[in-house]
Amino acid sequence: MRATDAFGIGLAMVGATALGSACVDYSNMEPSFATLRQAAQAQGKLIGTAVDGALLSTDSEYARLLAEEFSAVTPENATKWGPLEPQDDTYDFSDADSIVATALDHDQSLKGHVFTWHQQLPSWVESISDPDELRLALREHMETTMARYRGQIKVWDVVNEAVDDNAPAGYRENIFYELLGPDYIEEAFLMAHEADPDALLYYNDYAIERMGHKADFTYQMLRDLVARDIPIHGIGMQSHLSVHRYPAADDLRDNIRRFADLGLRVEISELDGRTSGLTGTLDQQYEAQRIAFQETVASCVLEPGCAGVTLWGFLDEYSWLDDEGTEEHGLLFDDNYEKKPSYWGVMDGLRGKWAKRGPTLVKNGDFEDELDHWVGVDSTLSLESFEDQAHPVACARGRSSSESGLSQVDLLDAFASGGSFTFRAEVRQEGTAPAGINVALIVEQSGQDPSTLSLGYLYLEEGVWRTMRGSFALAWEAPPTSVRLSFSGPDPGVDLCITQVALNQLHPAPG
Ligand code: XIL
């Protein structure tokens, strides 16, 4: 198998459409859709957006686009505990009511968001110190809210962002965890189910889209809930992407599939794409964002277990991404309400089209030409073979620092013009180290210190092969003088082995 075939994506896509083989020009044959909503409906998927209650009445263009383009809505803030019940037993349903009424008028489905979260809680809840008092407050809050919208809001995010990669036990230390321990998660699902037995109940979190430590922890947590018949029906992967580095489509698809295999509905629940991490012109940033959105949306469309995609808003102007002062251009419409390239990325993704993959840019990535093109950095490279690998393997042994490892130095030509790319490698370490493996492009520009663009970071178990994958975009202000690919990371003394390294350019979907 050539390394590029390992993606399997371009091939899978052709097989999955009824539009003909890759040789046929099907640009005129494809159905075209006037709105995202129509495109999603044709695939049997939902296309949603977060909605701001106040804008519905103050911005008629916002209301028009919302009704035309989307088939599902999630209140961006209006159904959070703080805005909804600012004082104990004193509710303000005004924004939520208008969002619900408008959605029903336009035949849009609704997801409520959210019951337990560490943010936007009312201060009276934050100051509770008795576990039973907190349980009662949560139960009453759910009962009142779910009763009001019963039969209208049919899906609820019950628990949001409960996993913390950096916390010792893996759980985020919010008031629920502090007073009730990790069992608050199942208690919340059980209470929500009692409050509305017909509602679909979701877990929602960020940075669980790519395979890795946080997604693995979340997977085990939900598998355990499902195994014990706790009423949980779905998982939302927020997908607040950075367009300079985001989960690779095949990685996202594998992850969606394993959650779906638990019997859960999977959704991309809060998609947006920061651009501030990418240099270059606004046009280059928009193009990178278009591809990031297309790959993410197509991943959902092509996975039967994925129910749909919700964007976290649609007008750049109102995006929460800009709340901290940067201008992220994170959504689908610019400040003049014009469609951006990202809109067409979502549209192409909804039509099940992938970005086109170029050939791999890495030389001898499968080590069939022994160690040609590879160097050991403060380590000794050896060519080896492993029973569970079809290709030869390169190992860096005798590493003297965490910077030591394997490198390919002459990649300037491949990356000189920038663009969007996707990366994969099989990796393994021998020896234990608290740190994981780091894959990066080291870029030198004349007169400047080298900069490091991290393509991926993964914790490895000793002696176990893992697949590392990621997508990224590059745009240069001044062309670089050298680009090198580097595998490094674990403590000195730990050996690092790699094979099947591939790096392919992603081009906009044809047609
Ligand atoms: C954000 C809203 O968009 C902002 O308006 C608000 O100030 C903070 O919350 N994860 C979530 C969402 O689950 O509820 C967050 O929404 C974004 C991150």
Side-chain angles (χ1 to χ4, degrees), residues 43 45 296-304 306 309 349-352:
Q43 300 280 10
K45 306 275 175 176
T296 305
V297 173
S299 296
C300 175
V301 163
L302 273 279
E303 280 306 320
C306 189
V309 176
L350 288 172
R351 295 155 85 194

Side-chain angles (χ1 to χ4, degrees), residues 142 146 158 188-199 201 231 233:
M142 283 184 185
M146 293 178 92
V158 175
F189 279 103
L190 288 163
M191 283 181 202
H193 186 61
E194 277 174 38
D196 181 353
D198 298 325
L201 308 178
H233 311 107

Side-chain angles (χ1 to χ4, degrees), residues 266-293:
V266 183
E267 286 178 26
I268 304 294
S269 57
E270 304 185 10
L271 178 63
D272 51 24
R274 284 173 198 275
T275 54
S276 65
L278 188 62
T279 56
T281 64
L282 192 59
D283 282 347
Q284 287 172 319
Q285 296 176 23
Y286 276 5
E287 226 18 64
Q289 187 183 49
R290 169 219 271 266
I291 291 179
F293 280 18

Side-chain angles (χ1 to χ4, degrees), residues 30-109:
E30 288 188 25
S32 64
F33 299 99
T35 63
L36 300 179
R37 190 175 179 160
Q38 289 174 11
Q41 193 181 5
Q43 300 280 10
K45 306 275 175 176
L46 291 173
I47 183 76
T49 178
V51 179
D52 181 288
L55 290 174
L56 279 180
S57 49
T58 56
D59 185 337
S60 58
E61 191 61 4
Y62 176 90
R64 183 184 68 79
L65 289 171
L66 171 66
E68 280 178 11
E69 297 285 353
F70 299 97
S71 57
V73 302
T74 304
E76 183 166 351
N77 291 298
T79 48
K80 290 170 182 170
W81 199 341
L84 212 50
E85 194 186 1
Q87 263 92 49
D88 190 359
D89 210 25
T90 304
Y91 285 82
D92 177 359
F93 286 115
S94 51
D95 269 0
D97 282 355
S98 72
I99 292 171
V100 170
T102 310
L104 296 177
D105 272 356
H106 296 106
D107 208 12
Q108 293 163 319
S109 64

Side-chain angles (χ1 to χ4, degrees), residues 76-77 80 113 117 120 160-161 238 240 270 312 320:
E76 183 166 351
N77 291 298
K80 290 170 182 170
H113 173 82
W117 191 28
Q120 290 177 279
N160 198 25
E161 301 181 359
Q238 292 183 8
H240 295 290
E270 304 185 10
W312 210 238
W320 78 298

Side-chain angles (χ1 to χ4, degrees), residues 11-308:
L11 303 174
M13 182 235 130
V14 171
T17 62
L19 300 169
S21 79
C23 316
V24 177
D25 173 13
Y26 49 70
S27 52
N28 296 324
M29 294 156 56
E30 288 188 25
S32 64
F33 299 99
T35 63
L36 300 179
R37 190 175 179 160
Q38 289 174 11
Q41 193 181 5
Q43 300 280 10
K45 306 275 175 176
L46 291 173
I47 183 76
T49 178
V51 179
D52 181 288
L55 290 174
L56 279 180
S57 49
T58 56
D59 185 337
S60 58
E61 191 61 4
Y62 176 90
R64 183 184 68 79
L65 289 171
L66 171 66
E68 280 178 11
E69 297 285 353
F70 299 97
S71 57
V73 302
T74 304
E76 183 166 351
N77 291 298
T79 48
K80 290 170 182 170
W81 199 341
L84 212 50
E85 194 186 1
Q87 263 92 49
D88 190 359
D89 210 25
T90 304
Y91 285 82
D92 177 359
F93 286 115
S94 51
D95 269 0
D97 282 355
S98 72
I99 292 171
V100 170
T102 310
L104 296 177
D105 272 356
H106 296 106
D107 208 12
Q108 293 163 319
S109 64
L110 284 141
K111 184 197 265 182
H113 173 82
V114 55
F115 292 124
T116 74
W117 191 28
H118 61 285
Q119 288 182 30
Q120 290 177 279
L121 284 173
S123 52
W124 66 271
V125 172
E126 295 270 23
S127 63
I128 293 175
S129 56
D130 176 68
D132 282 333
E133 201 181 322
L134 182 62
R135 281 192 183 96
L136 185 66
L138 182 59
R139 182 181 292 281
E140 285 181 353
H141 176 71
M142 283 184 185
E143 281 173 354
T144 307
T145 308
M146 293 178 92
R148 185 177 185 92
Y149 299 116
R150 195 160 178 172
Q152 300 180 319
I153 299 182
K154 296 179 182 162
V155 181
W156 282 94
D157 282 333
V158 175
V159 176
N160 198 25
E161 301 181 359
V163 177
D164 181 352
D165 229 5
N166 298 314
Y171 294 99
R172 184 176 306 278
E173 293 185 0
N174 58 30
I175 178 144
F176 307 100
Y177 183 75
E178 277 156 28
L179 294 189
L180 309 176
D183 286 354
Y184 87 85
I185 297 169
E186 62 191 74
E187 286 191 48
F189 279 103
L190 288 163
M191 283 181 202
H193 186 61
E194 277 174 38
D196 181 353
D198 298 325
L200 294 178
L201 308 178
Y202 276 58
Y203 179 75
N204 193 57
D205 212 331
Y206 65 90
I208 54 168
E209 300 82 20
R210 66 171 80 231
M211 291 285 198
H213 195 248
K214 188 170 180 182
D216 291 351
F217 186 94
T218 307
Y219 173 76
Q220 278 147 24
M221 181 176 93
L222 298 197
R223 188 178 59 185
D224 173 63
L225 295 177
V226 169
R228 291 185 297 110
D229 284 334
I230 304 298
I232 172 169
H233 311 107
I235 175 169
M237 300 176 171
Q238 292 183 8
S239 309
H240 295 290
L241 308 181
S242 292
V243 300
H244 68 285
R245 186 165 97 80
Y246 54 96
D250 48 359
D251 204 52
L252 174 59
R253 282 187 71 173
D254 283 352
N255 201 26
I256 289 175
R257 206 175 303 128
R258 72 169 163 166
F259 282 99
D261 287 345
L262 294 177
L264 298 174
R265 287 160 61 99
V266 183
E267 286 178 26
I268 304 294
S269 57
E270 304 185 10
L271 178 63
D272 51 24
R274 284 173 198 275
T275 54
S276 65
L278 188 62
T279 56
T281 64
L282 192 59
D283 282 347
Q284 287 172 319
Q285 296 176 23
Y286 276 5
E287 226 18 64
Q289 187 183 49
R290 169 219 271 266
I291 291 179
F293 280 18
Q294 179 180 344
E295 294 272 291
T296 305
V297 173
S299 296
C300 175
V301 163
L302 273 279
E303 280 306 320
C306 189

